[in-house]
Amino acid sequence: MSKHPQKGIDRAILRKAFRDSFIKLDPRYLIKNPVMFVVEIGFVITLYLTFFPASFNEQGRQMGLYNGIVSVILLITVLFANFAEAVAEGRGKAQAESLKKTRKDTKAKLFDQNGQFTIVNSSTIKKDDIVLVETGDIIPNDGEVIEGLAFVDESAITGESAPVMKEAGGDFSSVTGGTKVTSDWLKIRITAIPGESFLERMISLVEGATRQKTPNEISLTMVLVSLTMIFLVVIVALYPMATYAGVKIPVATLIALLVCLIPTTIGGLLSAIGIAGMDRVTRFNVIAMSGKAVEACGDVDVMILDKTGTITYGNRLAAEFIPVGKHSLENLARFSLIASLQDDTPEGRSVVDLANQQGVKVDEAEYRSAEFIEFTGQTRMSGTNLPNGAQVRKGAGDAIKQLVTERGGTIPGDLNTVIERISKAGGTPLVVSVDQEVFGVIYLKDTIKPGLIDRFNRLRAIGIKTVMCTGDNPLTAATIAREAGVDEFVAECKPEQKIDVIKKEQAQGKLVAMTGDGTNDAPALAQADVGLAMNSGTVAAKEAANMVDLDSDPTKILEVVEIGKQLLITRGSLTTFSIANDVAKYFAIIPAMFTVVIPQMNAINIMGLATPQSAILSALIFNALIIPALIPIAMRGVKYQPMSAQRILARNMLIYGLGGVLVPFFGIKLIDLAINPLLKLLNMG
Amino acid sequence: MDWPQILATLGIAMLLVIPTGKYICRVINGSKTCFDPVLDRIDGFIYKVSGIKQAEMDWKQYVIALLLTNLVMTLLVYLVFRMQHLLFLNPNSIKAMEPSLAFNTAISFITNTNLQDYSGEWGLSYVSQMVAITFLMFTSAATGFAAAAAFIRGMVGKSKTLGNFFVDVTRLTTRIFMPLAIIVTLILVWQGVPQTLAPNQTVTTIEGKLQDIPLGPVASLVSIKHLGTNGGGFFGGNSAHPFENPTPLTNLLQILSMLLLPTSLVYAFGLMLNDKKQAWTIFAAMALLLAMALPACYFAEKMGNPLLAKSGLSQTMGNMEGKEVRFGIAESALFTTVTTACTTGSVNNMHDSLTPLGGLTALWQMMINVVFGGKGVGFMNMMMYAILTVFLCGLMVGRTPEFLGKKIEGREIKLIAIAILVHPFVILISSMIALLTPAGLAGISNPGFHGLSQVIYQFTSAAANNGSGFEGLADNTAFWNISAGLVMFSGRYISIIALLAVVSSLAVKKAVPVSIGTFRTDNPLFMGVLCAVVIIIGALTFFPAIALGPIAEHLTLWR
């Protein structure tokens, strides 16, 4: 999908992540993740008790060793969480490294007041400076072309190697710092402050340096912190309760229970999920200015789409052959094909495609050598002169009619009706004639991009309304809208009117997404809750938007919406899983804590775990192992299919809710079976 | 005959839900009722005398009005308790109440808890029973109900204000509590509940000994005790006392009185929201939780006590220790379940004598504190869990969670977190303190697992504003009076404030239109998830305490 070299999780990333997971143990860093910070404190306490097991007058066999094992598992738990985050960051960092390489210190040609340029270091270029770039130069910073026309290689940013044309004025006037001029020259007014160029912002975004918690992430952290606080109180209160009931619980066991209960699974994976979500967006070659923007995508209710360029190709393509008079469809298709074989315009190629689709075949070699008549503004027709002298033409209705009449032919009675019908539907009629005979009409129409109908169906399945904006007349607009399957359309819509469409939807409480490229789209992009600007678009549009698509493909917004949803679903599902896990952990640890003093408590040891110590350690090990086990899901995101919210909820509840209750029962039992013999060897059984 | 009578009682309660809900909705909305010609004048007079301006209040004004009114009432009542020996209507020459007990009692009744560390017949004069206790039974119920009304208005979100607290309290009192209380009182009097200002009678019993027969204005107190889900008895024996609950009919009436308003309020919510299906979903979740507790309690009691069976006492009737023969296991189990569900706290049997598992079901319902619940507050708690559930579910379908069209964001979650934290915090921390201090330990009458249950029960009941007790606990000491007083206070007001803040912040949000991408909160799936969230959060929070208390006691009892 991306034109960037696909960077999977390679060994280098893993090695770096492994090192980073130790660096991230720094409490000053870890405190940002309250759940894991609690685990780290637990680790410090149990580590102390490993060397001074008698600090709390605890009796028991091998207390020091037991405390030691608990502390090691706690350390590993924190490391696993750090590792998850580091792996998620790894890919972005790698990408940032490759971007940084393009930010080499270059020279720039800076104009002074007299119109002379001097060569300066490009890092000294300020906003509103005017510079000259020529073939082979690197554009020093983001700016706007004020003079000249040139081709620019933007592969450093977009990964697209074909150079793009830039010229002053219009929608192709913006240039990005770090890209390279491949031909001709440009005079550019710099629009970015040094250090805040698009490239630099992009580096810091993919690196994750400016990552801020998104609103839902903040709410979720709130829930996780409250749960942690509840369990802290539960554990603190348990100690005197147990003491009163005659049970002395070792401190390490209390800490083990606490760590098992607090939501370490989601706490450990939360930031990894967020980073990986952003990374998925980046790999689509979309730069999101913030995680908030990606998250907002999941909430979008309405999507405003341009017709031309987004829904249709904008070129008119052959859609139908309509014979007139007594001519057959096959003959019409055949002559249309013959007239178009050497026609390299999109229209011409589409006629060939349509004819081929309808199974019409001619010996192409025979006609390749035939004389081709180019389309001109005067004749308004094109065609082929066959070796046998026949002249095949296709062209505008009145031009062909005139030609045929001049040659003494007659105009079939139904021709005008057909032409009128096509025009009314917003299409373009192309009349086909051979010598003085009119064979029929090729219906050229604005063609919907393939796969869009399916995509709109997906959007409808998840409750997103699509609105098409077009400058066409209502009749044409209605036709395209119906064919593409968009829910609503606004005809005769000027770009400036889009903002009104957005405001109208927002007034009903809806979240609106839109794509745009031109300067006159900027206000609408800013007004929309999610604005996706095209990289080919103007600086104004890019600045107003909260996402920029480097491939300049407006339909990308659909993918970003799905990524946004998937991001939230992953967080929600893993939270549910994490909380549901606690049920089984209780059934492992509570009987283990009390059976020594209250043997009857073994009745709730429903997993039949071998010994109290083995039970506690098994629960704790399960709690640690589940984090790396879920890293793939955190990175990839929970499987997402477009369907009604109801069904998504039922499905995820079944997998992560019910599964979350059941899985640990099996997991803990298996770990218990595995470690019990080892504990026996250590004389702890 | 056990289950038919239980089901018949619940059936009658169900039949009352819709008509009562409709009426409650009218009272809260201020729409017309057939009693208006009379009651409007009474209300108008009250507004005029007390200078109530009837202006709409935002949530802060509403909360301040609620808190100040409650504070003033608490102080007045405290003074009455402290000076009851100086006041009139004290035919039995009751002395002044000791300060820590007066503090506990005043808080207990203003918070609708009605935990009683005293016995009414020996501790309160008639003026205290009427002017302090019965008065607060009306106002605390009306306060809770008013808070719920404000909460629902915020949820419905038609305006940014939540109504006027004084108007709400007045209308709820004159149009709901007063008329119902008068009807119930008359039925109780007919069934033989005393309603008199005459002093206690000293009579010669058949054995030839002298016995004091306590009397007083009992019926008027008992009626609002249940209608307002207050639960504080006129006598120490509460609704087990033959003068408070003499016949099966009065028992039925009291159970129905407890259920009437908490159940109907949920339906009224549906009417105000104009979404009955949503209300029935919440109702069904509450009913399901009740339906789990009731048989658990019944069968636990029916099994009897193996220790007594071993010593030769027949347990065929079940565990009759601490129960009234005129009620039996079925009526006792039903009463216990309903009184702890509706956070009433009145008892018709001794909860301390319930089997460990029977006691556990009572304890459990107060721990989750959402099964219909006391006047309004139980409903608010359930909605709090609903919002939390919506948050989790919302994420799971990939949208910022929305409930009733309003987005649930950081601010709401923060407040919900506070409201959810209060309950376990005050229960567990106060239990911990009680177990760590000699003064706390001194109150425990049965050391061991049951003693632990006594402590946890006391504070859970206080935090849930229920008021029932494991009465074996010797709780009339400075430590227990003050600690329970503080717990009742925190349990009542913190969550009311936090939840009103939540709805006020929801009320100003623009409603998001429902689409196929929004998951529905008015269907069985949501009901199931809501119940699961309540049970899992409750179980996770209290399981260690429950395991060491009732479960350990049960396992060692049946070994």
Side-chain angles (χ1 to χ4, degrees):
Chain A
M1 243 158 279
S2 159
K3 289 175 215 89
H4 279 290
Q6 267 295 345
K7 289 236 172 64
I9 299 179
D10 58 23
R11 272 163 178 271
I13 291 181
L14 287 181
R15 244 198 320 272
K16 187 162 170 6
F18 181 75
R19 207 172 54 234
D20 281 352
S21 32
F22 284 90
I23 296 170
K24 284 170 191 276
L25 283 176
D26 184 343
R28 284 167 302 181
Y29 177 83
L30 208 60
I31 199 157
K32 283 187 217 153
N33 183 345
V35 180
M36 294 323 287
F37 187 67
V38 169
V39 182
E40 190 169 46
I41 293 177
F43 160 68
V44 173
I45 297 174
T46 47
L47 185 68
Y48 175 82
L49 290 175
T50 307
F51 298 108
F52 307 99
S55 305
F56 292 98
N57 285 326
E58 286 164 354
Q59 264 112 51
R61 261 189 301 171
Q62 307 274 20
M63 270 322 278
L65 178 61
Y66 170 71
N67 293 341
I69 297 175
V70 171
S71 77
V72 168
I73 304 174
L74 295 185
L75 176 65
I76 291 176
T77 311
V78 183
L79 287 174
F80 279 152
N82 289 347
F83 183 74
E85 190 181 83
V87 169
E89 284 170 349
R91 214 159 17 193
K93 284 207 169 124
Q95 200 185 350
E97 285 306 315
S98 76
L99 283 173
K100 276 181 192 162
K101 282 183 197 133
T102 64
R103 206 183 42 181
K104 291 166 277 198
D105 205 19
T106 50
K107 303 288 173 200
K109 295 159 185 162
L110 175 69
F111 281 101
D112 53 26
Q113 287 97 335
N114 313 324
Q116 302 296 311
F117 67 78
T118 47
I119 295 187
V120 298
N121 228 323
S122 59
S123 56
T124 62
I125 299 285
K126 294 186 294 295
K127 194 174 177 225
D128 290 329
D129 280 349
I130 294 181
V131 295
L132 174 76
V133 282
E134 292 169 302
T135 309
D137 287 351
I138 304 258
I139 296 173
N141 207 337
D142 302 353
E144 198 144 9
V145 179
I146 51 174
E147 211 183 312
L149 183 150
F151 280 91
V152 177
D153 173 7
E154 295 196 322
S155 62
I157 289 180
T158 63
E160 170 66 60
S161 54
V164 285
M165 193 195 68
K166 298 286 176 186
E167 62 182 334
D171 291 346
F172 299 100
S173 64
S174 87
V175 289
T176 312
T179 55
K180 191 174 177 184
V181 179
T182 54
S183 74
D184 305 301
W185 58 271
L186 294 170
K187 220 170 164 179
I188 296 167
R189 189 179 50 242
I190 300 298
T191 53
I193 299 164
E196 281 180 28
S197 70
F198 183 69
L199 183 66
E200 267 145 349
R201 268 191 298 164
M202 194 167 146
I203 289 171
S204 76
L205 278 169
V206 295
E207 215 173 23
T210 54
R211 203 180 93 83
Q212 283 177 331
K213 281 189 176 168
T214 59
N216 278 316
E217 208 175 343
I218 292 170
S219 308
L220 184 54
T221 309
M222 202 72 211
V223 172
L224 300 183
V225 169
S226 337
L227 283 172
T228 307
M229 282 165 72
I230 289 185
F231 289 126
L232 258 174
V233 172
V234 169
I235 300 302
V236 169
L238 177 59
Y239 191 72
M241 283 184 197
T243 311
Y244 177 79
V247 184
K248 186 116 175 89
I249 307 176
V251 171
T253 302
L254 280 176
I255 292 175
L257 178 57
L258 175 65
V259 170
C260 281
L261 292 180
I262 59 175
T264 48
T265 313
I266 181 68
L269 294 172
L270 190 57
S271 63
I273 295 170
I275 297 166
M278 286 289 278
D279 187 53
R280 278 201 298 282
V281 176
T282 313
R283 272 188 290 155
F284 261 104
N285 248 3
V286 173
I287 297 297
M289 295 305 165
S290 66
K292 198 176 165 184
V294 177
E295 202 170 75
C297 272
D299 289 349
V300 162
D301 302 290
V302 182
M303 213 176 264
I304 309 254
L305 300 163
D306 271 333
K307 189 199 80 175
T308 309
T310 306
I311 295 174
T312 65
Y313 285 108
N315 304 321
R316 305 195 160 229
L317 302 182
E320 198 183 346
F321 297 119
I322 305 165
V324 293
K326 292 189 285 287
H327 297 285
S328 69
L329 174 65
E330 208 203 321
N331 269 339
L332 169 64
R334 203 159 62 87
F335 284 111
S336 303
L337 175 62
I338 291 167
S340 309
L341 269 175
Q342 296 180 67
D343 183 354
D344 268 345
T345 62
E347 288 87 350
R349 271 177 306 197
S350 76
V351 173
V352 175
D353 288 343
L354 183 68
N356 288 341
Q357 265 172 38
Q358 299 196 346
V360 178
K361 285 265 150 43
V362 291
D363 181 8
E364 292 194 16
E366 186 184 330
Y367 299 101
R368 286 281 172 208
S369 55
E371 184 195 358
F372 178 66
I373 310 297
E374 289 268 0
F375 178 91
T376 66
Q378 283 79 42
T379 60
R380 294 196 295 138
M381 64 178 82
S382 64
T384 311
N385 290 340
L386 300 184
N388 65 8
Q391 294 190 347
V392 186
R393 293 287 182 274
K394 65 173 199 291
D398 44 352
I400 298 282
K401 273 193 260 180
Q402 199 189 343
L403 177 81
V404 169
T405 326
E406 274 170 14
R407 293 187 178 181
T410 48
I411 310 295
D414 50 351
L415 179 63
N416 282 335
T417 338
V418 173
I419 291 175
E420 217 163 276
R421 184 171 58 103
I422 294 172
S423 304
K424 262 195 180 159
T428 308
L430 214 54
V431 182
V432 179
S433 67
V434 181
D435 298 332
Q436 74 277 27
E437 280 281 314
V438 176
F439 271 64
V441 186
I442 304 170
Y443 181 176
L444 290 185
K445 94 179 172 188
D446 212 356
T447 307
I448 291 152
K449 291 187 178 174
L452 268 190
I453 297 173
D454 183 46
R455 281 192 184 183
F456 290 146
N457 283 336
R458 282 165 77 104
L459 286 177
R460 199 165 302 111
I462 54 177
I464 295 177
K465 187 173 90 173
T466 41
V467 178
M468 179 182 83
C469 284
T470 170
D472 290 344
N473 63 55
L475 218 58
T476 316
T479 312
I480 300 284
R482 198 174 47 245
E483 281 177 23
V486 294
D487 299 305
E488 282 175 24
F489 64 90
V490 183
E492 285 161 0
C493 172
K494 297 193 190 76
E496 308 81 56
Q497 287 169 342
K498 276 188 204 160
I499 193 160
D500 300 326
V501 178
I502 295 173
K503 279 184 180 161
K504 201 185 92 204
E505 296 288 350
Q506 283 174 334
Q508 298 168 31
K510 294 178 179 169
L511 241 67
V512 183
M514 78 159 278
T515 59
D517 45 15
T519 309
N520 44 23
D521 279 340
L525 282 170
Q527 177 69 33
D529 302 281
V530 175
L532 177 67
M534 302 299 104
N535 189 47
S536 62
T538 57
V539 176
K542 279 200 266 185
E543 277 184 357
N546 36 25
M547 277 187 269
V548 177
D549 178 20
L550 300 176
D551 297 338
S552 305
D553 171 5
T555 59
K556 285 273 194 65
I557 188 119
L558 310 183
E559 271 91 5
V560 183
V561 164
E562 293 197 349
I563 293 174
K565 282 199 178 290
Q566 199 186 24
L567 185 62
L568 290 186
I569 295 177
T570 308
R571 277 196 206 123
S573 300
L574 293 187
T575 305
T576 307
F577 186 80
S578 189
I579 297 172
N581 272 200
D582 283 3
V583 176
K585 291 175 194 162
Y586 260 139
F587 276 102
I589 296 183
I590 292 287
M593 277 178 162
F594 303 136
T595 27
V596 178
V597 181
I598 316 164
Q600 292 89 342
M601 274 284 188
N602 209 33
I604 49 175
N605 178 11
I606 52 175
M607 280 175 272
L609 304 177
T611 65
Q613 286 189 328
S614 158
I616 292 161
L617 293 177
S618 303
L620 201 54
I621 291 172
F622 176 85
N623 188 59
L625 288 182
I626 199 75
I627 296 177
L630 291 176
I631 288 180
I633 292 186
M635 301 288 290
R636 204 176 52 226
V638 164
K639 197 164 161 242
Y640 173 76
Q641 277 165 344
M643 48 183 162
S644 74
Q646 216 48 50
R647 288 179 56 200
I648 298 180
L649 179 63
R651 177 179 178 273
N652 288 337
M653 268 296 164
L654 197 68
I655 300 176
Y656 296 96
L658 196 61
V661 173
L662 296 179
V663 165
F665 277 103
F666 297 105
I668 293 173
K669 177 70 189 171
L670 283 177
I671 296 172
D672 177 69
L673 290 175
I675 65 166
N676 190 39
L678 295 176
L679 292 179
K680 282 220 172 74
L681 284 179
L682 292 170
N683 195 20
M684 285 174 62
Chain B
M1 280 304 284
D2 283 359
W3 284 103
Q5 55 178 309
I6 289 176
L7 293 176
T9 309
L10 296 176
I12 298 172
M14 274 307 295
L15 290 178
L16 295 172
V17 168
I18 294 181
T20 320
K22 282 184 180 159
Y23 181 68
I24 293 174
C25 175
R26 290 181 158 270
V27 173
I28 293 179
N29 275 344
S31 3
K32 271 202 174 326
T33 64
C34 53
F35 309 112
D36 282 353
V38 184
L39 293 177
D40 275 351
R41 287 193 199 161
I42 297 178
D43 290 353
F45 177 73
I46 294 173
Y47 299 150
K48 208 169 156 191
V49 169
S50 38
I52 294 169
K53 290 201 186 67
Q54 305 187 47
E56 284 284 308
M57 295 173 167
D58 64 23
W59 81 273
K60 277 186 192 149
Q61 291 165 322
Y62 203 98
V63 162
I64 289 169
L66 186 152
L67 291 178
L68 282 182
T69 316
N70 276 235
L71 177 70
V72 170
M73 289 192 287
T74 314
L75 291 176
L76 284 177
V77 165
Y78 179 82
L79 287 179
V80 171
F81 291 148
R82 295 284 291 132
M83 301 195 303
Q84 57 180 350
H85 59 298
L86 305 173
L87 297 170
F88 45 93
L89 278 181
N90 189 5
N92 300 322
S93 310
I94 309 280
K95 293 189 183 59
M97 213 181 229
E98 173 269 323
S100 77
L101 181 59
F103 166 79
N104 179 285
T105 309
I107 297 224
S108 173
F109 281 82
I110 193 73
T111 57
N112 200 262
T113 313
N114 297 19
L115 198 67
Q116 293 168 295
D117 291 355
Y118 64 93
S119 255
E121 53 269 56
W122 316 122
L124 290 178
S125 72
Y126 288 170
V127 77
S128 294
Q129 292 279 27
M130 295 193 295
V131 171
I133 299 290
T134 312
F135 165 66
L136 285 190
M137 282 183 167
F138 276 100
T139 59
S140 67
T143 299
F145 224 103
F151 181 83
I152 294 176
R153 287 188 196 114
M155 272 276 155
V156 174
K158 281 192 193 131
S159 70
K160 288 175 187 176
T161 50
L162 300 180
N164 180 299
F165 174 72
F166 302 111
V167 172
D168 282 343
V169 168
T170 311
R171 283 179 66 90
L172 290 167
T173 310
T174 57
R175 281 147 208 268
I176 294 179
F177 293 116
M178 271 300 189
L180 283 173
I182 291 170
I183 297 168
V184 173
T185 304
L186 291 176
I187 301 176
L188 289 175
V189 170
W190 165 52
Q191 286 293 305
V193 178
Q195 179 72 11
T196 173
L197 294 176
N200 296 350
Q201 303 284 306
T202 306
V203 296
T204 312
T205 61
I206 306 167
E207 299 159 29
K209 289 177 184 161
L210 290 178
Q211 190 185 345
D212 280 343
I213 304 294
L215 293 172
V218 184
S220 58
L221 185 146
V222 172
S223 63
I224 187 64
K225 167 176 99 175
H226 288 111
L227 284 167
T229 63
N230 291 285
F234 193 95
F235 306 114
N238 210 307
S239 280
H241 194 292
F243 281 178
E244 280 203 34
N245 191 4
T247 64
L249 181 63
T250 56
N251 198 55
L252 170 70
L253 186 65
Q254 296 187 7
I255 293 177
L256 292 177
S257 300
M258 284 192 254
L259 283 169
L260 180 68
L261 296 173
T263 50
S264 309
L265 179 66
V266 183
Y267 184 73
F269 163 69
L271 293 176
M272 289 178 70
L273 192 65
N274 203 8
D275 184 352
K276 282 185 235 169
K277 215 175 152 208
Q278 180 66 62
W280 284 123
T281 307
I282 301 288
F283 191 99
M286 291 171 157
L288 184 66
L289 291 168
L290 184 71
M292 291 176 190
L294 181 56
C297 185
Y298 173 80
F299 288 113
E301 295 310 307
K302 199 72 187 168
M303 284 203 303
N305 183 337
L307 290 185
L308 292 179
K310 232 175 263 171
S311 61
L313 289 166
S314 163
Q315 293 293 302
T316 46
M317 278 180 77
N319 172 37
M320 282 302 286
E321 181 198 315
K323 291 191 180 57
E324 293 292 303
V325 183
R326 67 183 184 282
F327 301 134
I329 296 292
E331 289 294 310
S332 300
L334 179 60
F335 201 104
T336 293
T337 316
V338 170
T339 197
T340 47
C342 296
T343 70
T344 311
S346 61
V347 291
N348 78 350
N349 67 92
M350 188 74 164
H351 282 192
D352 207 11
S353 299
L354 289 170
T355 59
L357 295 186
L360 172 60
T361 50
L363 190 57
W364 167 250
Q365 292 204 90
M366 296 189 295
M367 284 171 165
I368 56 176
N369 200 14
V370 295
V371 187
F372 295 110
K375 278 300 77 50
V377 182
F379 170 74
M380 287 165 76
N381 281 335
M382 188 51 127
M383 296 305 276
M384 161 182 93
Y385 275 102
I387 295 176
L388 184 69
T389 308
V390 161
F391 180 75
L392 287 179
C393 294
L395 290 183
M396 282 175 86
V397 303
R399 275 176 80 92
T400 297
E402 9 185 283
F403 187 37
L404 309 178
K406 305 297 178 77
K407 279 201 186 329
I408 311 290
E409 289 165 304
R411 179 178 150 80
E412 290 80 45
I413 288 294
K414 204 177 286 178
L415 291 163
I416 293 281
I418 293 172
I420 287 187
L421 283 174
V422 175
H423 196 58
F425 263 50
V426 294
I427 294 173
L428 293 172
I429 290 180
S430 52
S431 301
M432 181 177 91
I433 294 170
L435 292 170
L436 288 174
T437 50
L441 290 171
I444 300 173
S445 59
N446 301 55
F449 307 129
H450 190 75
L452 194 60
S453 301
Q454 283 183 330
V455 172
I456 297 164
Y457 194 100
Q458 177 78 354
F459 288 118
T460 308
S461 173
N465 297 134
N466 178 283
S468 65
F470 269 16
E471 294 299 342
L473 189 74
D475 49 14
N476 187 10
T477 62
F479 174 86
W480 286 99
N481 280 334
I482 293 170
S483 61
L486 294 175
V487 168
M488 290 186 277
F489 180 83
S490 332
R492 173 78 161 180
Y493 297 107
I494 297 177
S495 63
I496 287 185
I497 297 171
L499 293 175
L500 284 184
V502 168
V503 290
S504 81
S505 113
L506 289 180
V508 295
K509 288 190 188 188
K510 198 178 283 172
V512 181
V514 174
S515 76
I516 194 169
T518 357
F519 75 93
R520 307 197 63 86
T521 53
D522 58 356
N523 59 12
L525 177 65
F526 183 75
M527 188 216 52
V529 178
L530 176 58
C531 282
V533 167
V534 168
I535 292 173
I536 288 187
I537 299 262
L540 292 180
T541 312
F542 295 109
F543 189 56
I546 291 172
L548 275 175
I551 292 181
E553 190 187 352
H554 171 81
L555 292 173
T556 45
L557 185 67
W558 289 87
R559 65 187 85 228

